[in-house]
């Protein structure tokens, strides 16, 4: 049970600042739309900007550490209230954390305002401060099972530091491997969280029995992912071995697929809020296997295959999770607005076009990137349009949060 809060004080807190999911889900999605628009225009040469690290560094950094980490922090700062029974970060502390994240986005895009070093420091500081806010209630009640997510945010911090250091020391730090570290960390986080919530969400949504837990299967899925992530993170200290890395991804992907089938995704086809989760898991499972093969067989274009995981897996799971969590934590029935299944479908199509079309028509790759990016923009715009009123309003059931 949550700690008792002062109802009068609760009413004085703007709804947007009552729990972490509200500002970070909303403005993280807005940022993903704005940054995708900027990326497409920069690629075509329609606008000229000089973001930190150049446009390619900026794009992969901001979609991973800007957008991805905003949603991650919003989810964890909301979930920790459920885990611990202690009121989540809200009000002024949440506002300051949100402003820090926003400043990171502004100064990474316009580094000339403060200079590259200070812009990097501001961006890097967001994750360790988030880790502190997340860990404080967990440590207070000694709930060490969930303390796992605190060092995970610190590993995100190290990956972000490495990516920034790649600008000054490219001979030591690879911005590509550092960015892939961030992606693998998000996948690892999603895999762990999915093991906890997807069986329950599936059972509740389909009114069927819940799949029995399988700790061994969870370990066979997540440990190879963690090892692959560490290989990427430690690339300045150890030689990156593509064969070992690819094998770990394939191993994890195979057991990810087995676990996914164990959760009976075929039962969810009539429940959009649930089948969207399974769609994202499908892209992660298939993506890990195919990506692993691309590191073993160089004929496969890994730079395209990464988008199976980033668009279909991470993007798909994010849009599925934020549409469901936002309903539940704003006191509304778990029924997606009518247009939201279209948002899920747009992400699926965006993934297929971005990954596979360039294999068939490589000369038209730029067109396929435009189409895929446009579908991403439409998908998250649908979320923003339908969920902004919920996220800016008090809970429909008049409870706190």
């Amino acid at each position: 049970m949550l700690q008792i809060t002062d109802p009068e004080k609760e009413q004085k807190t703007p709804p947007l600042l009552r729990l972490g999911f509200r500002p970070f889900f909303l403005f993280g999605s807005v940022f993903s739309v704005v940054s995708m628009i900027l990326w497409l225009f920069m690629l075509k040469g329609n606008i000229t900007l000089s973001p930190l690290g150049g446009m390619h560094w900026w794009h992969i950094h901001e979609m991973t550490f800007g957008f991805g980490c905003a949603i991650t922090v919003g989810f964890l700062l909301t979930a920790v209230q459920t885990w611990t029974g202690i009121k989540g970060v809200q009000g002024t502390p949440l506002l300051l954390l949100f402003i820090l994240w926003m400043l990171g986005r502004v100064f990474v895009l316009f580094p000339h305002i403060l200079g590259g070093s200070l812009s990097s420091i501001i961006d890097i500081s967001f994750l360790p401060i988030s880790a502190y806010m997340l860990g404080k209630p967990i440590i207070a009640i000694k709930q060490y099972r969930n303390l796992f997510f605190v060092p995970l945010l610190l590993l995100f911090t190290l990956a972000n530091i490495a990516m920034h250091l790649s600008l000054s020391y490219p001979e030591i730090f690879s911005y590509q491997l550092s960015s892939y570290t961030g992606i693998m960390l998000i996948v690892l986080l999603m895999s762990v969280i999915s093991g906890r919530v997807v069986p329950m969400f599936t059972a509740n949504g389909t009114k069927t029995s819940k799949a029995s837990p399988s700790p061994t299967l969870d370990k066979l899925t997540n440990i190879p992912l963690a090892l692959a992530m560490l290989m990427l993170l430690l690339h300045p200290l150890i030689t990156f071995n593509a064969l070992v890395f690819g094998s770990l991804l394939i191993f994890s992907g195979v057991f990810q697929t087995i676990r996914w089938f164990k959760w009976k995704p075929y039962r969810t086809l009539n429940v959009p809020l649930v089948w969207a989760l399974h769609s994202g898991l499908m892209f992660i499972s298939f993506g890990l296997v195919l990506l692993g093969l691309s590191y073993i067989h160089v004929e496969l274009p890994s730079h395209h295959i990464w988008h199976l995981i980033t668009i279909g897996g991470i993007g798909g799971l994010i849009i599925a999770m934020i549409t469901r969590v936002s309903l539940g934590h704003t006191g509304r029935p778990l029924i997606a607005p009518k247009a939201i299944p279209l948002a899920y479908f747009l992400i699926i199509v965006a993934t297929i076009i971005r990954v596979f079309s360039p294999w068939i028509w490589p000369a038209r790759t730029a067109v396929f990137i435009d189409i895929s990016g446009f579908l991403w923009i439409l998908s998250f715009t649908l979320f923003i349009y339908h969920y902004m009123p919920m996220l800016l309003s008090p809970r429909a059931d008049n409870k706190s949060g």
Side-chain angles (χ1 to χ4, degrees), residues 5-200:
T5 58
D6 184 346
E8 185 175 341
K9 183 179 179 181
E10 181 79 21
Q11 292 302 315
K12 291 180 180 179
T13 303
L16 183 66
L17 300 176
R18 291 184 185 177
L19 263 182
F21 77 97
R22 289 177 177 268
F24 287 112
F25 285 8
L26 177 57
F27 287 97
S29 298
V30 170
F31 175 71
S32 83
V33 169
V34 172
S35 62
M36 187 62 70
I37 292 171
L38 291 177
W39 167 242
L40 295 178
F41 279 138
M42 282 192 284
L43 270 182
K44 296 174 74 67
N46 296 129
I47 60 173
T48 302
L49 293 172
S50 300
L52 190 68
M55 68 177 190
H56 286 93
W57 187 99
W58 174 82
H59 171 65
I60 195 168
H61 178 274
E62 291 301 272
M63 292 307 290
T64 304
F65 296 100
F67 165 62
C69 286
I71 302 300
T72 297
V73 168
F75 176 85
L76 291 176
L77 291 182
T78 301
V80 73
Q81 175 172 285
T82 303
W83 298 338
T84 64
I86 297 174
K87 188 66 182 173
V89 178
Q90 64 171 202
T92 301
L94 180 58
L95 175 61
L96 293 175
L97 183 66
F98 171 68
I99 290 173
L100 180 61
W101 173 79
M102 283 289 295
L103 289 176
R105 311 290 57 79
V106 171
F107 294 134
V108 168
L109 182 59
F110 303 107
H112 61 276
I113 297 175
L114 296 178
S117 297
L118 189 53
S119 298
S120 293
I121 290 170
I122 291 171
D123 174 62
I124 290 168
S125 63
F126 169 69
L127 285 167
I129 293 174
S130 299
Y132 169 78
M133 291 183 171
L134 176 67
K136 190 175 179 181
I138 294 174
I139 294 172
I141 65 168
K142 300 179 180 180
Q143 194 183 69
Y144 299 123
R145 174 176 180 261
N146 290 315
L147 196 60
F148 160 82
F149 298 102
V150 176
L152 199 67
L153 287 182
L154 296 178
L155 289 174
F156 270 113
T157 304
L158 292 178
N160 196 16
I161 290 172
M163 196 163 180
H164 281 275
L165 287 174
S166 72
L167 299 177
S168 300
Y169 306 99
E171 70 282 358
I172 300 175
F173 297 92
S174 163
Y175 90 83
Q176 190 174 62
L177 294 181
S178 300
S179 66
Y180 289 165
T181 306
I183 292 168
M184 280 293 122
L185 279 164
I186 294 176
V187 173
L188 177 61
L189 172 71
M190 288 181 160
S191 182
V192 172
I193 292 292
S194 294
R196 293 187 179 191
V197 304
V198 170
M200 177 182 64

Side-chain angles (χ1 to χ4, degrees), residues 230-245:
L230 288 173
M231 283 189 66
L232 294 168
L233 181 65
L234 297 175
H235 73 269
L237 303 176
I238 63 174
T239 301
F240 178 77
N241 188 305
L243 177 61
V244 174
F245 181 72

Side-chain angles (χ1 to χ4, degrees), residues 347-394:
I347 289 292
I348 294 172
V349 178
T351 306
I352 294 170
I353 290 175
R354 178 61 185 85
V355 175
F356 296 108
S357 296
W359 294 15
I360 303 171
W361 298 287
R364 308 294 291 174
T365 295
V367 175
F368 299 132
I369 291 174
D370 286 346
I371 295 171
S372 178
F374 179 67
L375 295 177
W376 175 285
I377 291 165
L378 286 180
S379 177
F380 279 90
T381 298
L382 284 172
F383 168 78
I384 294 163
Y385 177 79
H386 288 281
Y387 280 79
M388 182 183 289
M390 304 180 199
L391 298 172
L392 295 177
S393 304

